[in-house]
Amino acid sequence: MSARPTPFLQLRKPVSRRQKLLSALAIWVLFFGIWIVASASGLVNPLLVPAPQQVFATTFDLFFSRGFGSDVLISISRVLIAFALASAVAVPLGVMMGSFPAIEAFFAPFVSAWRYLPAPSFIPILLMWFGTGEAPKLALLFLGVIFFLITLIMDHTKNVREELVETALTLGAPRHKVVARVIFPAVLPDIVTAMRQMLAMTWTYLVIAEIVASTTGIGAMMMRARRFLNTDEILSGIVVIGVLGLLFDLTFSALHRWAFPYLRKA
Amino acid sequence: MSAETALEIREISKEFELSGGRKLVAVEGAGFTVERNSICVLLGPSGCGKSTILRMIAGLETPSGGEIVIGGRRVEGPGRDRGMVFQAYTSFDWLTVRKNVEFGMQINGVPAAERRERAERFINLVGLGKFAEAYPSQLSGGMRQRVAIARTLANDPEVLLMDEPFGALDAETRWLMQELMIDVAEKTNTTMVIVTHDLEEAIFLADKIVFLSSHPGRVKEVIVPEFKQGARIADKERAVKLDGYSDLEAHLMRLMREEGRGKE
Ligand SMILES: Nc1ncnc2c1ncn2[C@@H]1O[C@H](COP(=O)(O)OP(=O)(O)OP(=O)(O)O)[C@@H](O)[C@H]1O
Ligand SMILES: [Mg+2]
């Protein structure tokens, strides 16, 4: 009996760790390979698409001799402050709405209406109200994520199994303890996941805010670079935003693993 | 076994409002009593209202008529005097087995030392001594159900309510759990109301079987398994061999059949 060779494309069979890593590497090597070749062969205008080596050299230069670090820090702090404010409202409100239908009935019509308003449409009015300081940027990020975050957390809270709530009730728990000691811990892993998704969205709004209405931050740097046709700097900004987003995401997923060890099977 | 009454179900009814304003009478005028320290089994075909009755006893549903009295007090909502074990797993996944078992006591302000001691006792009683520090996700289905039982018992309820607690388990684990319940009943003197539609389970566990007819749920017959001669049998295999076991089983089967036919 001759062993039949296993086909490379197996229907819904997980691939090995090694193959996963190699594949991930391969797609990026391919991407940069094409880019390098395209630049070196003069196929593309270097003014519009600088070579990747140059983008990395510029990134390095930006950070170490042109104080780009402070722009990056400003951007990060905007994201974190706005996101912390949004979470401070959304987590308690979402959990309460998911736990008490009377609270949901009051807030839900308001919250779901706001979700259909794209946050950037508020930029002109935010600028009029808050001027040009930090406030309009924070307000945009806040408005951009809060309503989605509330809705996600409320939905997750509603999905906490009824039996858990009823078990707590028959053990003699009063309502506030059912919420604090059962519903909240039960939904917490999902809250962290929701926050992880919404943090990515906060980044999106940050870039919009900084491109449209800011003189500081990563987005503003990119708009300045555009005026002087410094494409390499623009691309640096994109790379930095991407890397930061990735780092935040990895941090959150590490936090999830660390905080909820009980979700892992032994 | 004394004949003192622990729980009285007085002609309770339950109507559910269905969509479109129609009403469904799930339970109509069901009444029975449960003696202190006894095991009462609610048996009947699917949909006859067993869970509804148990949930009304637990205070999770309000009867549309009649009343439920426990220790002289009328039931007006859930409380720690009526602990409930559900068919679905209800372990609090974020807590270890020990913390799960301590949960009710902690909610009710039992001092830490006593809490620990009682938790220890009930964890050992259900045979989970080695797993006290494990998380529920690391346990099998039968073990999780034991956690739920220990957690409810440790909270010291007057009545333990169980809704098909072993329905999701495989046959062998189910026997073990049934034997465990006999052991628990003997050692802790807990009054239990157990819902099942498994005849074997009913005969093995019950000091008294309340058989319900369906649509609407009414008490069709109250049966005391006389063949046990007033004693509980700890061993399932031995119970099956006793004189009178198969007669009772045949009788219950006939009741089930009648009810099944009545539905069509
Ligand atoms: N919340 C509810 N709303 C409407 N109808 C309900 C509700 N709960 C139960 N019922 C109906 O009441 C009747 C009795 O249901 P119940 O769950 O008590 O039966 P059961 O004897 O426990 O059945 P099973 O053995 O299948 O668990 C059924 O017809 C069911 O559809
Ligand atoms: Mg049921």
Side-chain angles (χ1 to χ4, degrees):
Chain A
M1 194 178 80
S2 66
R4 213 182 302 156
T6 45
F8 180 71
L9 294 178
Q10 291 224 67
L11 205 56
R12 298 196 162 184
K13 287 275 183 298
V15 296
S16 70
R17 224 185 135 70
R18 210 179 79 112
Q19 188 182 343
K20 247 188 187 162
L21 275 173
L22 285 177
S23 305
L25 209 63
I27 183 83
W28 284 105
V29 167
L30 195 66
F31 173 73
F32 282 110
I34 292 173
W35 188 357
I36 288 172
V37 169
S39 303
S41 64
L43 224 64
V44 289
N45 181 349
L47 201 64
L48 294 178
V49 186
Q53 358 14 326
Q54 200 200 326
V55 172
F56 283 109
T58 305
T59 310
F60 205 76
D61 184 51
L62 277 172
F63 269 106
F64 291 99
S65 37
R66 288 157 61 193
F68 185 43
S70 68
D71 275 315
V72 172
L73 282 182
I74 286 173
S75 293
I76 293 178
S77 63
R78 279 175 187 152
V79 167
L80 290 185
I81 291 171
F83 190 68
L85 288 175
S87 303
V89 177
V91 173
L93 189 58
V95 170
M96 293 306 273
M97 286 167 70
S99 304
F100 298 102
I103 298 183
E104 184 195 352
F106 182 71
F107 285 107
F110 185 77
V111 170
S112 30
W114 283 86
R115 272 195 313 158
Y116 294 102
L117 278 171
S121 61
F122 289 94
I123 292 177
I125 194 87
L126 290 175
L127 285 173
M128 286 180 65
W129 286 344
F130 297 115
T132 50
E134 285 304 294
K137 289 132 203 159
L138 294 179
L140 175 70
L141 304 200
F142 182 87
L143 284 177
V145 294
I146 180 118
F147 300 109
F148 288 93
L149 198 53
I150 292 174
T151 311
L152 273 176
I153 292 175
M154 175 185 77
D155 286 341
H156 285 310
T157 306
K158 284 200 222 162
N159 283 337
V160 170
R161 285 179 28 240
E162 196 57 29
E163 286 96 347
L164 295 187
V165 173
E166 293 185 337
T167 296
L169 287 171
T170 55
L171 286 169
R175 277 170 308 174
H176 69 276
K177 283 193 182 169
V178 176
V179 175
R181 304 288 300 279
V182 174
I183 295 181
F184 182 68
V187 77
L188 195 55
D190 289 332
I191 292 182
V192 173
T193 305
M195 287 171 71
R196 183 177 159 192
Q197 294 161 352
M198 285 303 109
L199 188 64
M201 197 154 139
T202 319
W203 270 110
T204 310
Y205 285 118
L206 169 88
V207 177
I208 296 174
E210 289 184 347
I211 284 179
V212 176
S214 181
T215 52
T216 51
I218 304 172
M221 181 284 282
M222 290 160 70
M223 286 312 273
R224 269 199 309 278
R226 190 190 70 119
R227 252 184 282 146
F228 302 106
L229 300 180
N230 292 334
T231 8
D232 51 346
E233 290 181 12
I234 297 179
L235 289 177
S236 288
I238 293 175
V239 170
V240 169
I241 289 169
V243 168
L244 283 175
L246 182 69
L247 285 180
F248 270 120
D249 198 60
L250 289 178
T251 310
F252 253 87
S253 98
L255 175 77
H256 201 279
R257 267 198 312 272
W258 168 80
F260 311 115
Y262 55 85
L263 294 177
R264 262 173 281 162
K265 298 265 172 198
Chain B
M1 219 181 305
S2 75
E4 193 191 336
T5 302
L7 187 65
E8 251 189 284
I9 287 62
R10 293 184 185 153
E11 307 304 311
I12 50 168
S13 307
K14 181 70 188 177
E15 274 183 11
F16 287 109
E17 292 256 0
L18 300 180
S19 54
R22 284 192 310 122
K23 282 187 178 159
L24 177 104
V25 183
V27 179
E28 191 175 70
F32 55 94
T33 56
V34 181
E35 282 73 42
R36 193 167 299 289
N37 303 343
S38 76
I39 302 179
C40 173
V41 170
L42 297 186
L43 184 66
S46 180
C48 71
K50 304 181 293 291
S51 299
T52 306
I53 292 178
L54 201 71
R55 291 173 58 79
M56 287 193 280
I57 300 174
L60 297 170
E61 303 275 6
T62 318
S64 323
E67 62 176 3
I68 296 163
V69 176
I70 176 169
R73 298 175 315 269
R74 194 189 148 114
V75 166
E76 301 282 4
R80 68 177 295 199
D81 53 345
R82 286 151 289 132
M84 178 121 163
V85 174
F86 295 82
Q87 175 173 2
Y89 301 137
T90 53
S91 19
F92 299 139
D93 288 341
W94 56 96
L95 300 175
T96 60
V97 168
R98 184 191 305 286
K99 293 284 175 198
N100 260 282
V101 175
E102 285 188 17
F103 183 88
M105 296 187 278
Q106 200 170 19
I107 290 284
N108 291 301
V110 175
E114 189 188 335
R115 218 158 65 204
R116 226 180 148 74
E117 197 183 310
R118 282 182 68 83
E120 196 74 34
R121 175 169 157 230
F122 284 99
I123 289 170
N124 287 327
L125 182 68
V126 298
L128 286 178
K130 282 192 198 132
F131 296 92
E133 305 307 328
Y135 283 106
S137 63
Q138 302 166 321
L139 304 179
S140 71
M143 288 156 90
R144 286 199 211 186
Q145 229 27 358
R146 289 171 200 230
V147 175
I149 292 166
R151 178 178 58 195
T152 314
L153 288 172
N155 200 35
D156 199 21
E158 282 171 46
V159 182
L160 173 63
L161 308 170
M162 303 209 277
D163 192 354
E164 304 196 29
F166 315 131
L169 305 179
D170 60 275
E172 201 201 329
T173 316
R174 196 154 62 223
W175 298 336
L176 283 174
M177 295 296 288
Q178 290 164 1
E179 291 177 354
L180 173 74
M181 289 325 293
I182 294 288
D183 187 45
V184 166
E186 290 291 310
K187 284 184 180 151
T188 61
N189 280 332
T190 309
T191 310
M192 302 184 190
V193 181
I194 303 176
V195 162
T196 184
H197 55 226
D198 177 350
L199 301 184
E200 261 185 50
E201 184 164 284
I203 301 172
F204 180 65
L205 290 177
D207 296 325
K208 175 154 103 184
I209 298 173
V210 174
F211 194 98
L212 299 161
S213 63
S214 49
H215 294 114
R218 288 198 183 102
V219 176
K220 186 176 172 93
E221 201 172 324
V222 175
I223 304 156
V224 176
E226 300 290 352
F227 75 95
K228 291 185 188 172
Q229 301 179 325
R232 292 194 181 119
I233 298 142
D235 176 347
K236 184 120 195 199
E237 223 179 297
R238 207 159 67 74
V240 179
K241 287 190 199 141
L242 284 178
D243 273 349
Y245 179 97
S246 46
D247 288 345
L248 179 53
E249 191 172 25
H251 179 63
L252 293 175
M253 267 180 188
R254 205 177 58 241
L255 290 177
M256 278 285 193
R257 283 260 167 81
E258 281 172 24
E259 284 309 312
R261 235 177 264 128
K263 258 198 286 188
E264 281 146 31

